[in-house]
């Protein structure tokens, strides 16, 4: 058994199969990786060589075809590196130079979570998990970070651990997370004006339960990144900033591959409305992160240009990874940290 290895400008995969258990072996990974997907048979198993991708890490699975034609999708049995994702476990090829965030090595008090909710007449019930750092009472005022796909961010990207560490180290003030649960994610996060309106009301529910200081920041990834921006732009000057990761800012010219998505037209219309907006009366601080080789990179670059033209303080960081929670985790610091410091006036 062997984990993937890098030799010069090539990434090599191997699968042991001396007993010829498999009729075919193929690689399942993002289309951003060039090269073939079918392994070739060797004397002891199977091998595949692809051009080394311009990434720091690669999530993948194997497609193992049995002699009877049945296909099994599995993690690489020869690679101990695994990651939990929103779509199940994946194997990970770590390329030379990759380093996980330093804050992962810290052990901070985990904080506590209070389950809240808001009932909206049009959308229904919005569950909200409010996380607070250790030692912060409900009546202790603090800034608020509203997080789309909040429980997933906490579970798969370590967001609450990140927040606990930054607070414990004094990098950020004691702040809370409003972790929004995506009950009807595709419907809610696809530029749905009813949901965005319900979220604004849900903020009032949070503020009625715990003491909130200052203007909140909205964040999210993919469709959640789109929702975070639209929420802050339409939030009647209630927000100070936005942190959007791999935001799905679809445009008809840039994202034709998404045209069959049921809510494509609604998103394109919303993005167009942002572009047609007048200059910002109260500029937002906006930080965008996106994998350089993601399909969403071009529309993120276009959105950054739109927001800059409207007068918002915007920055776009290209990440050496793709569309996944580990990539978003690895971009929390310094990306999110710098944004929160700037809007919450906290010395770094």
């Amino acid at each position: 058994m062997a984990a993937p290895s890098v030799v010069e400008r090539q990434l090599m995969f191997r699968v042991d199969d001396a007993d010829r258990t498999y009729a075919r072996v193929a690689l399942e990974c993002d289309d951003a990786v060039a090269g073939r997907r079918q392994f070739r048979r060797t004397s002891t198993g199977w091998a595949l060589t692809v051009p080394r991708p311009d990434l720091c890490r690669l999530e993948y699975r194997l497609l193992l075809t049995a002699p009877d034609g049945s296909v099994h999708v599995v993690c690489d049995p020869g690679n101990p590196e695994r990651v939990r994702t929103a779509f199940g476990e994946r194997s990970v090829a770590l390329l030379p130079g990759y380093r996980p965030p330093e804050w992962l090595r810290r052990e901070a008090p985990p904080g506590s979570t209070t389950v809240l909710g808001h009932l909206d007449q049009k959308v229904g019930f919005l569950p909200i998990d409010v996380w607070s750092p250790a030692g912060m009472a409900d009546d202790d005022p603090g800034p608020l970070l509203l997080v789309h796909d909040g429980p997933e961010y906490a579970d798969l990207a370590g967001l609450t651990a990140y927040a606990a560490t930054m607070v414990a180290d004094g990098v950020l003030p004691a702040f809370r997370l409003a972790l929004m649960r995506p009950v009807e994610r595709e419907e809610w996060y696809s530029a749905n004006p009813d949901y965005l309106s319900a979220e604004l009301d849900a903020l009032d529910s949070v503020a009625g339960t715990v003491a909130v200081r200052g203007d909140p920041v909205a964040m999210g990834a993919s469709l959640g990144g789109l929702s975070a921006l639209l929420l802050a732009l339409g939030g009647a000057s209630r927000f100070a900033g936005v942190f959007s990761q791999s935001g799905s800012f679809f445009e008809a010219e840039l994202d034709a591959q998404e045209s069959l998505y049921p809510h494509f037209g609604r998103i394109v219309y919303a993005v167009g409305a942002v572009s047609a907006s007048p200059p910002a009366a109260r500029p937002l601080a906006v930080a965008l992160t996106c994998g350089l080789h993601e399909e969403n990179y071009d529309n993120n670059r276009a959105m950054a240009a739109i927001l800059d033209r409207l007068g918002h303080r915007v920055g776009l960081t290209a990440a050496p990874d793709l569309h996944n929670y580990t990539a978003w985790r690895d971009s929390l610091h310094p990306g999110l940290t710098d944004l929160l410091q700037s809007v919450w006036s906290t010395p770094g």
Side-chain angles (χ1 to χ4, degrees), residues 169-193:
D169 288 352
V171 177
L172 292 171
F175 70 99
R176 294 185 176 88
L177 303 172
L179 304 171
M180 309 300 294
R181 289 187 174 272
V183 178
E184 299 288 345
R185 187 177 191 275
E186 297 294 319
E187 176 62 31
W188 285 2
Y189 288 4
S190 55
N192 183 331

Side-chain angles (χ1 to χ4, degrees), residues 46-346:
W46 302 84
L48 174 67
T49 300
V50 300
R52 175 179 172 175
D54 187 20
L55 302 169
C56 61
R57 53 186 295 282
L58 174 66
E59 298 181 4
Y60 70 98
R61 294 189 299 184
L62 299 176
L63 305 178
L64 306 180
T65 302
D68 63 3
S70 60
V71 179
H72 303 275
V73 184
V74 302
C75 289
D76 187 345
N79 182 5
E81 291 290 340
R82 304 284 174 88
V83 64
R84 292 185 302 113
T85 79
F87 305 101
E89 192 176 47
R90 297 288 189 275
S91 290
V92 184
L94 299 178
L95 280 73
Y98 173 73
R99 294 290 183 273
E102 287 294 326
W103 59 262
L104 282 175
R105 301 181 182 181
R106 296 275 290 110
E107 291 188 9
S112 60
T113 300
T114 301
V115 178
L116 301 178
H118 171 73
L119 182 60
D120 182 81
Q121 290 186 346
K122 292 184 178 180
V123 174
F125 187 71
L126 280 64
I128 310 165
D129 295 346
V130 178
W131 176 90
S132 300
M136 190 177 193
D138 288 350
D139 57 355
D140 291 336
L144 181 69
L145 178 60
L146 182 147
V147 188
H148 296 86
D149 294 308
E152 289 77 10
Y153 250 114
D155 182 38
L156 301 175
L159 182 62
T160 52
Y162 157 85
T165 300
M166 295 301 150
V167 172
D169 288 352
V171 177
L172 292 171
F175 70 99
R176 294 185 176 88
L177 303 172
L179 304 171
M180 309 300 294
R181 289 187 174 272
V183 178
E184 299 288 345
R185 187 177 191 275
E186 297 294 319
E187 176 62 31
W188 285 2
Y189 288 4
S190 55
N192 183 331
D194 290 335
Y195 177 72
L196 296 173
S197 177
E199 273 198 299
L200 292 176
D201 292 338
L203 274 178
D204 295 332
S205 297
V206 173
T209 303
V210 296
V212 176
R213 172 172 60 83
D215 294 329
V217 171
M219 73 173 282
S222 195
L223 286 174
L226 167 73
S227 296
L229 180 63
L230 296 179
L231 180 70
L233 290 175
S237 300
R238 295 178 59 177
F239 286 84
V242 176
F243 187 66
S244 173
Q245 301 193 275
S246 305
S248 299
F249 308 121
F250 296 157
E251 296 189 20
E253 296 80 7
L254 297 176
D255 302 287
Q257 75 280 359
E258 300 285 357
S259 60
L260 296 181
Y261 177 63
H263 304 300
F264 181 73
R266 186 164 72 186
I267 294 174
V268 169
Y269 178 83
V271 170
V274 173
S275 181
S277 300
R282 184 172 182 248
L284 294 167
V286 182
L288 309 176
T289 76
C290 191
L292 181 60
H293 300 291
E294 284 191 57
E295 288 185 349
N296 277 350
Y297 185 75
D298 287 342
N299 64 51
N300 271 252
R301 185 170 57 181
M303 179 55 73
I306 290 170
L307 295 173
D308 180 71
R309 173 172 54 81
L310 295 177
H312 298 285
R313 304 186 304 277
V314 59
L316 170 62
T317 300
D321 206 324
L322 295 168
H323 199 89
N324 58 73
Y325 272 102
T326 299
W328 301 329
R329 179 200 71 185
D330 291 355
S331 296
L332 292 176
H333 185 77
L336 177 60
T337 308
D338 289 347
L339 175 71
L340 297 181
Q341 287 177 341
S342 72
V343 299
W344 291 342
S345 302
T346 301

